[in-house]
Amino acid sequence: MFITFEGIDGSGKSTQITFLKEWLEEKKHKVLVLREPGGNIVSEQIRTLLLDSKEEIDPRSELLLFTAARAQLVSKVIRPALIQGSIVICDRYIDSSVAYQGYGRGLPIDDIQVINDFATNGLVPDITFIFDIPVEDAALRAGFRSTNKKSSPDRMEQSGEDFFKKTREGYLKIAEEANRKIFVIQANEEVESIRLQVCSIVDSFINSM
Ligand code: TYD
């Protein structure tokens, strides 16, 4: 079973990923948590390039680098883990490319889908959670607004509020148009209420398998 978490920076995905992992492990499932870009040596090196680079990166190049990191992660880590019966939880996946590079940067969505389909060899998540939150609230948590910096923003976080607004809208369009299981979670609700929603959705899916 393959579960992905999506949402703009500062939407609170990582807290909920930790809760879901704990809950699944209590139920004796084997769980592997990964993050994108990353999860193996090659993809972590691409991550450093993408997030720490002081150079301007062309949007097409940015898309291909994120997707190259994804291809390596799918083939070397995700598919083998799924074959062994683990539940794989990934912090970001294809929808991040569609939302950030497509709706955010303005690259053609159809091309992004074709490139990602090639990179992942068609691996689609069973469940996707999109954490939706107003950009202003997310900015306070993620620190990508200069006045509220918790730590210095990475290259993506420096893209500005307009970019994140387009990205957020993009995520909502993805959810509207999807023909797979995508659940939009109101990410500024209470942490415990979100935890219960996420666990109950995963529980129903497991029971239906
Ligand atoms: P990260 O620090 O992991 O962000 P978060 O904790 O919010 O998930 O950084 C990943 C950044 O890369 C984040 O700004 C989203 C961006 N990204 C894309 O633009 N496209 C992609 O395909 C992926 C996977 C991430």
Side-chain angles (χ1 to χ4, degrees), residues 8-10 13 35-37 47 51 62 66 70 91-93 96-97 100-101 154 156-157 164:
I8 57 172
D9 301 54
K13 295 175 278 115
R35 68 164 180 188
E36 272 215 40
R47 178 187 179 88
L51 300 185
E62 182 178 279
F66 275 117
R70 180 166 305 131
D91 187 345
R92 302 191 177 283
Y93 193 59
S96 283
S97 290
Y100 281 76
Q101 280 67 54
D154 63 38
M156 293 304 295
E157 288 168 344
F164 282 100

Side-chain angles (χ1 to χ4, degrees), residues 39-109:
N40 66 90
I41 292 169
V42 170
S43 308
E44 288 290 342
Q45 286 170 339
I46 300 176
R47 178 187 179 88
T48 306
L49 195 68
L50 276 163
L51 300 185
D52 299 347
S53 174
K54 301 283 174 275
E55 294 295 310
E56 200 186 310
I57 299 183
D58 176 81
R60 283 168 194 265
S61 171
E62 182 178 279
L63 168 70
L64 292 169
L65 285 167
F66 275 117
T67 315
R70 180 166 305 131
Q72 184 75 3
L73 183 69
V74 168
S75 110
K76 299 290 182 203
V77 186
I78 300 181
R79 279 195 193 274
L82 291 173
I83 288 167
Q84 284 173 9
S86 292
I87 296 181
V88 177
I89 303 175
C90 199
D91 187 345
R92 302 191 177 283
Y93 193 59
I94 295 176
D95 299 316
S96 283
S97 290
V98 175
Y100 281 76
Q101 280 67 54
Y103 291 101
R105 300 273 191 243
L107 293 179
I109 308 293

Side-chain angles (χ1 to χ4, degrees), residues 4-204:
T4 60
F5 280 70
E6 296 281 355
I8 57 172
D9 301 54
S11 57
K13 295 175 278 115
S14 24
T15 309
Q16 295 296 334
I17 288 175
T18 307
F19 288 155
L20 179 61
K21 177 180 193 283
E22 284 169 2
W23 180 78
L24 287 166
E25 283 176 344
E26 272 166 27
K27 293 182 165 285
K28 307 286 174 229
H29 291 286
K30 242 194 316 171
V31 185
L32 177 65
V33 173
L34 300 164
R35 68 164 180 188
E36 272 215 40
N40 66 90
I41 292 169
V42 170
S43 308
E44 288 290 342
Q45 286 170 339
I46 300 176
R47 178 187 179 88
T48 306
L49 195 68
L50 276 163
L51 300 185
D52 299 347
S53 174
K54 301 283 174 275
E55 294 295 310
E56 200 186 310
I57 299 183
D58 176 81
R60 283 168 194 265
S61 171
E62 182 178 279
L63 168 70
L64 292 169
L65 285 167
F66 275 117
T67 315
R70 180 166 305 131
Q72 184 75 3
L73 183 69
V74 168
S75 110
K76 299 290 182 203
V77 186
I78 300 181
R79 279 195 193 274
L82 291 173
I83 288 167
Q84 284 173 9
S86 292
I87 296 181
V88 177
I89 303 175
C90 199
D91 187 345
R92 302 191 177 283
Y93 193 59
I94 295 176
D95 299 316
S96 283
S97 290
V98 175
Y100 281 76
Q101 280 67 54
Y103 291 101
R105 300 273 191 243
L107 293 179
I109 308 293
D110 290 351
D111 289 346
I112 296 177
Q113 263 146 3
V114 171
I115 290 167
N116 270 283
D117 196 40
F118 172 77
T120 61
N121 208 354
L123 181 70
V124 174
D126 296 301
I127 298 178
T128 296
F129 293 105
I130 293 182
F131 278 50
D132 184 48
I133 188 168
V135 172
E136 295 72 20
D137 297 356
L140 289 172
R141 296 198 203 169
F144 58 77
R145 232 189 208 173
S146 55
T147 44
N148 286 303
K149 258 189 245 166
K150 279 190 191 155
S151 57
S152 53
D154 63 38
R155 196 186 58 83
M156 293 304 295
E157 288 168 344
Q158 289 166 16
S159 302
E161 269 188 64
D162 272 1
F163 170 78
F164 282 100
K165 286 195 170 135
K166 286 191 247 166
T167 303
R168 179 192 180 197
E169 290 308 313
Y171 270 127
L172 296 176
K173 285 203 192 112
I174 293 171
E176 257 171 49
E177 291 167 7
N179 51 7
R180 58 192 165 90
K181 287 190 196 315
I182 297 191
F183 299 89
V184 177
I185 302 287
Q186 299 309 319
N188 45 11
E189 281 183 15
E190 287 292 314
V191 169
E192 179 59 11
S193 143
I194 299 175
R195 190 185 76 82
L196 293 173
Q197 288 173 55
V198 168
C199 291
S200 127
I201 290 167
V202 173
D203 199 31
S204 327

